[in-house]
Amino acid sequence: HHYMRYYRDVDMYIAVSNFYREKMIEFGFPAEKISYLPNYIDVTEYEVSKSHDDYILYFGRLSEEKGLETFIKAATLNPSINHFIVGAGPIELKLKTLVNEGNISNVTFLGFKSGAELKMIISRALCIVVPSEWYENCPMSVLESFASARPVIGSNIGGIPELISESIDGLIFKTHDAQDFALKIKWMSENKDEAIKMGLAGRKKVEDKFNKNLHYAG
């Protein structure tokens, strides 16, 4: 594309994460032509609850790059903690086989959910996990979790760590590292009052920094 000069008439690119902006610059795009403009979320569509049903939740596509095998491995290290998986995708059967053959009793698949039902499941979780093993940009799952006042445990890759303030509204773990992941999940389970405070901090973050007015103001 650079050789054919397809990009020569583009006045401005929008990057929804600082990570992606830096990657574009690294690959030769002029910095002055790349504007950082993150995604936003309407928090009025999400209810806040200070109670929970004491489970760890992943929601999203069930595909190889999402880090779900690492999530399941982490679950085996915390057998007394419930881990729920919401979603559908190409590795769903593979993941279910892994759980069944490993006799892993604390991982439950809830299937595909959307709308009010999904929001309810998110709002009742102790925390949400985003264990991706590829370059996420500005994942809406993090913003949706914060909007529901749920803390997030995310992998240290792509645009994920710039959304999560360590020990304030969530925790970061080493990508691919099930043991480190499990330790962060265990901490959330053992510090439920702090987890609630983190979730409320996440809610305030999206209210203040990832709202519609700021987005459209550019």
Side-chain angles (χ1 to χ4, degrees), residues 100-137:
N100 290 333
E101 292 183 351
N103 196 26
I104 303 169
S105 60
N106 64 326
V107 174
T108 304
F109 294 86
L110 300 182
F112 176 79
K113 306 293 181 183
S114 63
E117 186 179 14
L118 176 59
K119 288 177 181 176
M120 184 274 293
I121 294 170
I122 295 170
S123 72
R124 299 305 305 167
L126 172 63
C127 74
I128 312 300
V129 297
V130 183
S132 295
E133 294 174 351
W134 74 340
Y135 288 157
E136 296 283 1
N137 206 348

Side-chain angles (χ1 to χ4, degrees), residues 58 60-66 68-69 72 85-101 107-113:
Y58 168 88
R61 180 172 167 79
L62 308 188
S63 52
E64 203 72 47
E65 71 279 358
K66 294 298 185 178
L68 288 162
E69 291 186 56
I72 291 171
I85 295 175
V86 168
I91 66 166
E92 182 174 353
L93 179 59
K94 178 182 179 181
L95 296 174
K96 288 181 176 179
T97 300
L98 180 64
V99 168
N100 290 333
E101 292 183 351
V107 174
T108 304
F109 294 86
L110 300 182
F112 176 79
K113 306 293 181 183

Side-chain angles (χ1 to χ4, degrees), residues 157-177:
I157 193 170
I160 296 171
E162 69 184 67
L163 293 178
I164 301 170
S165 300
E166 178 75 15
S167 300
I168 296 175
D169 49 42
L171 299 171
I172 303 293
F173 76 94
K174 298 173 186 175
T175 310
H176 297 280
D177 190 331

Side-chain angles (χ1 to χ4, degrees), residues 5-204:
R5 303 187 69 190
Y6 290 144
Y7 302 133
R8 62 186 173 184
D9 295 325
V10 176
D11 295 318
M12 183 64 66
Y13 297 92
I14 293 175
V16 298
S17 68
N18 284 307
F19 167 83
Y20 206 77
R21 182 177 186 274
E22 293 303 315
K23 277 294 176 186
M24 290 180 72
I25 293 169
E26 179 183 335
F27 283 100
F29 290 86
E32 65 274 11
K33 282 193 171 187
I34 310 169
S35 178
Y36 166 63
L37 183 66
N39 295 326
Y40 76 89
I41 193 163
D42 184 355
V43 295
T44 64
E45 297 180 359
Y46 295 80
E47 294 184 6
V48 173
S49 173
K50 293 184 180 180
S51 61
H52 56 81
D53 291 334
D54 201 17
Y55 56 82
I56 309 301
L57 175 67
Y58 168 88
F59 67 95
R61 180 172 167 79
L62 308 188
S63 52
E64 203 72 47
E65 71 279 358
K66 294 298 185 178
L68 288 162
E69 291 186 56
T70 302
F71 181 48
I72 291 171
K73 289 177 184 176
T76 66
L77 301 175
N78 287 311
S80 63
I81 301 174
N82 289 320
H83 297 64
F84 288 178
I85 295 175
V86 168
I91 66 166
E92 182 174 353
L93 179 59
K94 178 182 179 181
L95 296 174
K96 288 181 176 179
T97 300
L98 180 64
V99 168
N100 290 333
E101 292 183 351
N103 196 26
I104 303 169
S105 60
N106 64 326
V107 174
T108 304
F109 294 86
L110 300 182
F112 176 79
K113 306 293 181 183
S114 63
E117 186 179 14
L118 176 59
K119 288 177 181 176
M120 184 274 293
I121 294 170
I122 295 170
S123 72
R124 299 305 305 167
L126 172 63
C127 74
I128 312 300
V129 297
V130 183
S132 295
E133 294 174 351
W134 74 340
Y135 288 157
E136 296 283 1
N137 206 348
C138 180
M140 287 301 298
S141 57
V142 176
L143 302 187
E144 290 168 16
S145 302
F146 285 162
S148 298
R150 300 297 93 178
V152 177
I153 301 175
S155 55
N156 188 26
I157 193 170
I160 296 171
E162 69 184 67
L163 293 178
I164 301 170
S165 300
E166 178 75 15
S167 300
I168 296 175
D169 49 42
L171 299 171
I172 303 293
F173 76 94
K174 298 173 186 175
T175 310
H176 297 280
D177 190 331
Q179 186 169 12
D180 188 42
F181 195 5
L183 287 173
K184 302 301 169 64
I185 290 171
K186 183 180 180 183
W187 187 94
M188 283 286 183
S189 182
E190 292 178 346
N191 295 273
K192 293 180 175 65
D193 289 342
E194 288 300 314
I196 290 170
K197 291 177 184 177
M198 284 183 174
L200 293 172
R203 169 77 179 206
K204 188 174 189 310

